[in-house]
Amino acid sequence: MRLPLASGIMLMLILAPALGCGGSDAESQVTIGETLYAEHCQLCHGDAKSGEGALADVPTHGPDGHTWHHADGQLVDIIIGRLSYRGKKMPAFGGTISDEEAMAILEYFKTGWPAEILEAQQEASKNWNALNP
Ligand code: HEC
C-alpha cells in the first residue's frame, strides 16, 4: 500500500521542473531585460550579443566588448547615472528604469557571455559588493 504514495511523490519530483518550477524567475528577468534593451539602449549600443548596429564610439556588450570588465554594481551605477566621469555621453536612465530593471538588462547581456567570462565577471561583482556594502 506504500508504493502508490511513493510513486506519486516521484511523479511530482519529475513533473515539478517541467511545470516551470525553478528557473522561471531568471528566465523572466532575461525577457524583461531584453525588452527594455530593445526599447532604450539598442539604438546606440547595437545588438547586445554581436554589437551589430552600434554607433561609432559606443561600447558593445558581447564577449568582444568591454562591459564584462566591470562589476554588476558599477554597471548599474553607470546605467542609472550615479556614476559620472569626464566626457560621459551615456544618458542617465535613473528616472526611466529602476535598479532592478538595470540588473535585468545585465542578466540579458550575460546570456551572450561564455562560461569563463561569466565566472570572471561574477568574481569582480562579488569583490565590488564587498567594497561597496
Ligand atoms: C545616446 C546613446 C546611448 C544610449 C541610448 C545608451 N547608451 Fe550606454 N553608453 C553610451 C556611450 C557613448 C557609452 C560610453 C561611455 C560614455 O561615453 O559615457 C555608454 C556606456 C555604457 C556602459 C558601459 C560599458 C562599458 O563597456 O564600459 C553600459 C553598461 C551601458 N552604456 C549600458 C546602457 C544601457 C543598459 C542602456 C539602455 C538603458 C544604454 N546604455 C543606453 C551611449 C548610449
Side-chain angles (χ1 to χ4, degrees):
M1 286 310 277
R2 284 201 153 150
L3 201 58
L5 178 62
S7 12
I9 289 169
M10 281 305 290
L11 193 65
M12 273 166 58
L13 289 175
I14 292 164
L15 283 180
L19 293 173
C21 309
S24 60
D25 260 14
E27 251 169 60
S28 63
Q29 278 286 97
V30 169
T31 310
I32 290 168
E34 185 173 4
T35 307
L36 287 168
Y37 186 80
E39 199 175 330
H40 300 291
C41 326
Q42 194 153 355
L43 72 160
C44 287
H45 286 279
D47 185 88
K49 290 171 187 173
S50 68
E52 205 185 313
L55 301 182
D57 299 325
V58 177
T60 55
H61 308 302
D64 301 334
H66 183 265
T67 303
W68 65 266
H69 294 256
H70 294 287
D72 285 348
Q74 214 172 16
L75 292 170
V76 170
D77 282 355
I78 291 175
I79 297 166
I80 296 300
R82 276 187 298 260
L83 185 66
S84 204
Y85 36 84
R86 254 186 85 189
K88 188 175 184 190
K89 285 187 246 123
M90 160 85 188
F93 281 88
T96 314
I97 64 173
S98 67
D99 280 37
E100 290 72 25
E101 287 171 328
M103 204 52 225
I105 295 173
L106 298 184
E107 292 307 327
Y108 169 53
F109 292 168
K110 291 175 190 186
T111 61
W113 297 350
E116 65 271 22
I117 284 183
L118 277 172
E119 266 166 45
Q121 197 268 347
Q122 195 175 34
E123 196 58 34
S125 296
K126 267 192 228 149
N127 293 340
W128 196 89
N129 287 343
L131 291 170
N132 299 273

